[in-house]
Amino acid sequence: MHTIGESISFKGDADPDNEGVNDPEFGAYSYGDDSENLLANRKALGGKSINDYTATKETIYFFEDTLLPGTKVFLQRLLQESDTTKFLPRQIAESTPLTNGELSQILKKFSLKPESKSASYVKNTVKNCERPEMRGETKYCAASLETFVDSGVSILGKNIKLLSNEIGDETKNPSFKIGKGVRTVGGNEVVCHKMTYPHAVYLCHSIEGTEVYKVPLVSDDGTKVKAMAVCHKDTSAWSPNHIAFKILKVKPGTVPICHFLGRDTLVWVSN
């Protein structure tokens, strides 16, 4: 029996204090070089050095060959309260595009003061929706159900299905062991991360060379979960400063790098 991943403080799927490619969560969204966010990363580490991963036991990044029965993982993110915001109808959603040029109008629309915490979440979502695609990535943001479905179809075709984390009984125990039956559910995927916003917004992207896994987990109190994980086979386009390389002590493009997905993340895969 062994434990995968290293320890690091972890603040949730779209926390504005974690913005930037050097933060653990934004490994899910952005892979380029953004040195201005080093201070944000220090904040995410609770003021600790980037080399000090002892803040929590959270399993962040790990190697593909450790997805084995009996492996211990610590997944506080699966216990986070689910975001219940709903999509807007397409016509209403498209009336205010998620762009920096519309930011002041967006804040006004939702009666948000520019320096408020809620506004920082909105700014963060807009920033990530506008960032450039990296090599091998196709990306879009969906604020309506129609866009969410249509964009998935445009990338993968009509024969697709939607997957999510399957959490039965709620548990307060974030300590899990991987059970038997880890299986791949495809290499043609679009992973959709739910952003923090006044209504539902998903940042969806498909990255070449990504494998999606369904991973059975059993918590220490016996609660069973089927969690989603992805393994990126080709990381050569990622920034050398990406925190995954610091945690795993490897270089870009050398080995597949894996991570579990957040509670509200959805995944389109070819059927």
Side-chain angles (χ1 to χ4, degrees):
M1 183 187 303
H2 54 289
T3 302
I4 60 178
E6 295 286 344
S7 299
I8 197 169
S9 61
F10 207 31
K11 304 188 71 145
D13 262 9
D15 194 299
D17 293 336
N18 272 356
E19 61 184 328
V21 298
N22 291 311
D23 293 330
E25 187 57 31
F26 279 84
Y29 312 138
S30 183
Y31 302 85
D33 194 0
D34 191 354
S35 58
E36 72 180 22
N37 286 302
L38 289 174
L39 290 177
N41 185 70
R42 179 66 65 87
K43 184 185 292 186
L45 289 166
K48 298 179 183 293
S49 163
I50 192 68
N51 294 314
D52 184 354
Y53 303 117
T54 59
T56 72
K57 298 177 182 179
E58 184 80 29
T59 299
I60 309 295
Y61 293 101
F62 55 90
F63 295 121
E64 190 173 25
D65 60 7
T66 54
L67 275 174
L68 300 171
T71 297
K72 296 178 68 176
V73 294
F74 194 89
L75 296 172
Q76 186 68 42
R77 63 192 315 193
L78 285 181
L79 308 188
Q80 293 173 348
E81 185 176 351
S82 188
D83 179 352
T84 58
T85 54
K86 307 297 184 183
F87 280 125
L88 293 179
R90 174 178 268 172
Q91 187 174 1
I92 296 175
E94 292 181 348
S95 66
T96 312
L98 293 166
T99 64
N100 257 319
E102 294 287 336
L103 188 55
S104 61
Q105 196 63 31
I106 293 171
L107 297 180
K108 183 179 179 180
K109 177 179 180 179
F110 296 114
S111 302
L112 299 177
K113 295 181 179 179
E115 302 308 316
S116 67
K117 183 74 170 179
S118 294
S120 68
Y121 280 96
V122 169
K123 293 174 186 177
N124 187 60
T125 295
V126 171
K127 175 182 176 180
N128 277 277
C129 287
E130 282 211 308
R131 72 161 176 81
E133 295 174 345
M134 73 169 184
R135 174 169 53 84
E137 178 187 32
T138 301
K139 178 180 73 72
Y140 66 90
C141 277
S144 69
L145 179 60
E146 295 92 336
T147 300
F148 182 76
V149 175
D150 290 350
S151 298
V153 169
S154 71
I155 295 172
L156 299 178
K158 293 183 178 180
N159 191 19
I160 58 176
K161 60 183 176 182
L162 191 63
L163 303 177
S164 66
N165 291 303
E166 298 176 30
I167 303 172
D169 297 331
E170 293 292 332
T171 177
K172 295 182 178 179
N173 192 331
S175 181
F176 296 89
K177 288 181 185 177
I178 295 178
K180 294 181 180 179
V182 175
R183 64 185 180 91
T184 178
V185 290
N188 294 322
E189 45 63 48
V190 178
V191 177
C192 295
H193 309 276
K194 195 168 190 183
M195 308 300 287
T196 301
Y197 202 76
H199 58 77
V201 172
Y202 281 87
L203 187 156
C204 301
H205 58 172
S206 177
I207 301 174
E208 292 179 4
T210 297
E211 195 76 26
V212 181
Y213 287 92
K214 183 75 83 170
V215 184
L217 302 173
V218 182
S219 74
D220 287 352
D221 63 12
T223 301
K224 294 183 179 180
V225 172
K226 290 183 179 178
M228 303 296 298
V230 294
C231 292
H232 302 289
K233 307 284 189 176
D234 182 6
T235 60
S236 59
W238 298 17
S239 166
N241 294 325
H242 194 287
I243 198 172
F245 303 128
K246 299 179 184 296
I247 291 175
L248 298 176
K249 297 179 174 60
V250 295
K251 294 181 179 181
T254 54
V255 294
I257 289 179
C258 308
H259 60 90
F260 284 96
L261 299 177
R263 176 164 185 158
D264 294 319
T265 302
L266 300 174
V267 184
W268 289 112
V269 296
S270 295
N271 204 352

